[in-house]
Amino acid sequence: MGAMSTVTGFRWLTTEEQQSWRSYVTGTVLLQERLERDLREATGLSMAEYEILVRLSEAPDRRLRMTDLADRTLASKSRLSHQITRMAADGYVRREECLEDRRGAFAVLTDAGWERLVAAAPDHVQSVRTWLVDALTEDELSELGRLCQKVVDHLEVP
Amino acid sequence: MGAMSTVTGFRWLTTEEQQSWRSYVTGTVLLQERLERDLREATGLSMAEYEILVRLSEAPDRRLRMTDLADRTLASKSRLSHQITRMAADGYVRREECLEDRRGAFAVLTDAGWERLVAAAPDHVQSVRTWLVDALTEDELSELGRLCQKVVDHLEVP
DNA sequence: CAAGATTGAGACATCAATCTTG
DNA sequence: CAAGATTGATGTCTCAATCTTG
């Protein structure tokens, strides 16, 4: 497709940019799949479920408003609502109504959910360490974090 | 959860490692969603479809064996097969049998598929440029690519 | 039996519509 | 009307099972 640039004047990616972009896509996809698979095999949880358990466990009274939880887990309200329905059926969370704002709803971590998280966390952390942290030097990991944060900031500001 | 380390001796992530990991997750998820949405709105294609069109367009005779195409698009055989079924129904690709190995099958890019790719490519490249390339300096993008490639190599070798 | 590929069932995501309360 | 949240329909992914040929 690059040949078109001479005709249209459109700015394609340079060979080096393409290469970086390719490495980025491959790395993020493969790492994501590996972590997802590790977690699933070790604990039966998906990353989405794990993230929800973590966020609730960190919150005061282990409860968060649905919108708040959706923001923190990078999920849409719809996706989160379906997910919470499933996790409530499994007994890991429950819904509670919000008294201050009657439109609102809380998702609350149950004791079973807490136990599930405690049991799963070491496996997941080990997996992140094995496949990401140990793949890079300390400085490289910091730099990766910094670059990703730059991308985040650029996405949110423009 | 970090408090457990004193009891169990398990090695959790340090604050800095956690921060890098968080930025990484947020960045990759948000960028992925943004590019997916941009492409969908501009062209009606998903990234998965776009990737398939690209890989086929680059191949000799615009055709690839299913397994080969699956590898290049980082998809499972199953996912690719379903996807090709849908795209064939839309007229962008067609299946052809393999004469050398009768178990095999080719996916072949149709003219309509080629036209679809040509129409979509500038939008997608612009989107990648806007949200990733322009968010970083030239050196930073190279470094991001290098770090991701290190992760890929580490995943494949261990 | 292994490799290439497909299929169907069930899990999950997305999108638009809906309902309720501010 | 906007914001918080849920729902149902539809599309896509995963997993295990299957079929065919090497």
Side-chain angles (χ1 to χ4, degrees):
Chain A
M1 307 286 301
M4 291 174 68
S5 62
T6 51
V7 179
T8 63
F10 180 80
R11 193 158 165 235
W12 299 91
L13 299 186
T14 66
T15 304
E16 238 209 324
E17 285 168 342
Q18 273 188 59
Q19 200 175 301
S20 297
W21 164 240
R22 270 287 119 212
S23 294
Y24 170 83
V25 170
T26 306
T28 55
V29 170
L30 293 186
L31 181 57
Q32 153 81 26
E33 286 178 354
R34 165 58 66 178
L35 298 180
E36 189 83 46
R37 182 167 302 268
D38 280 359
L39 185 62
R40 176 80 63 182
E41 286 173 2
T43 73
L45 290 170
S46 66
M47 295 263 282
E49 291 172 308
Y50 182 85
E51 277 296 302
I52 288 171
L53 296 179
V54 168
R55 297 310 177 145
L56 289 178
S57 78
E58 294 170 348
D61 297 324
R62 295 180 185 169
R63 76 179 52 217
L64 283 173
R65 290 284 296 271
M66 290 296 284
T67 294
D68 200 354
L69 182 55
D71 289 343
R72 298 190 197 202
T73 57
L74 305 176
S76 68
K77 293 181 208 285
S78 173
R79 178 157 101 213
L80 178 66
S81 188
H82 285 296
Q83 187 76 57
I84 289 294
T85 298
R86 279 175 248 135
M87 292 177 74
D90 293 335
Y92 302 134
V93 300
R94 65 169 180 277
R95 285 187 161 94
E96 279 186 16
E97 55 185 39
C98 178
L99 300 178
E100 307 101 60
D101 184 340
R102 303 274 303 284
R103 296 170 302 180
F106 283 103
V108 188
L109 187 62
T110 64
D111 289 343
W114 170 261
E115 298 298 344
R116 195 99 162 87
L117 176 60
V118 168
D123 286 304
H124 180 59
V125 171
Q126 184 56 56
S127 178
V128 172
R129 186 173 286 291
T130 299
W131 303 116
L132 177 63
V133 178
D134 289 351
L136 305 174
T137 68
E138 200 180 312
D139 285 349
E140 285 174 335
L141 180 61
S142 285
E143 182 64 1
L144 179 64
R146 190 184 72 80
L147 296 176
C148 287
Q149 190 56 50
K150 261 192 104 170
V151 172
V152 173
D153 295 341
H154 188 256
L155 276 165
E156 288 170 345
V157 179
Chain B
M1 306 287 300
M4 292 175 68
S5 61
T6 50
V7 179
T8 63
F10 181 80
R11 190 155 167 239
W12 300 91
L13 299 186
T14 66
T15 304
E16 237 208 324
E17 287 168 342
Q18 275 188 57
Q19 201 175 301
S20 297
W21 163 240
R22 270 287 120 214
S23 293
Y24 170 83
V25 171
T26 306
T28 55
V29 170
L30 293 185
L31 181 56
Q32 153 81 24
E33 287 179 353
R34 165 57 65 177
L35 297 180
E36 189 82 48
R37 182 166 300 270
D38 280 0
L39 185 62
R40 176 81 64 183
E41 287 173 1
T43 73
L45 289 170
S46 67
M47 294 263 280
E49 292 171 310
Y50 182 84
E51 278 296 302
I52 288 171
L53 296 179
V54 168
R55 298 309 178 145
L56 289 178
S57 77
E58 293 169 348
D61 297 324
R62 294 178 184 171
R63 77 177 51 217
L64 283 172
R65 290 284 295 271
M66 290 297 284
T67 294
D68 199 355
L69 182 55
D71 289 344
R72 299 190 197 203
T73 57
L74 306 175
S76 68
K77 293 181 207 285
S78 172
R79 177 156 103 214
L80 179 66
S81 187
H82 285 298
Q83 187 77 58
I84 289 293
T85 298
R86 281 175 247 132
M87 292 176 74
D90 293 336
Y92 303 134
V93 300
R94 64 170 181 279
R95 284 186 161 94
E96 279 186 17
E97 54 185 40
C98 178
L99 300 178
E100 306 100 63
D101 184 340
R102 303 274 304 282
R103 296 171 301 180
F106 283 103
V108 189
L109 187 62
T110 63
D111 289 342
W114 169 261
E115 298 298 342
R116 195 99 163 85
L117 176 60
V118 169
D123 285 304
H124 181 58
V125 171
Q126 183 57 54
S127 179
V128 172
R129 186 172 286 291
T130 300
W131 302 116
L132 178 64
V133 178
D134 289 351
L136 306 173
T137 67
E138 202 180 311
D139 286 351
E140 285 174 336
L141 180 62
S142 285
E143 182 64 1
L144 178 65
R146 189 183 72 80
L147 297 175
C148 287
Q149 190 56 49
K150 262 193 103 168
V151 172
V152 173
D153 295 340
H154 189 257
L155 276 165
E156 288 171 347
V157 179

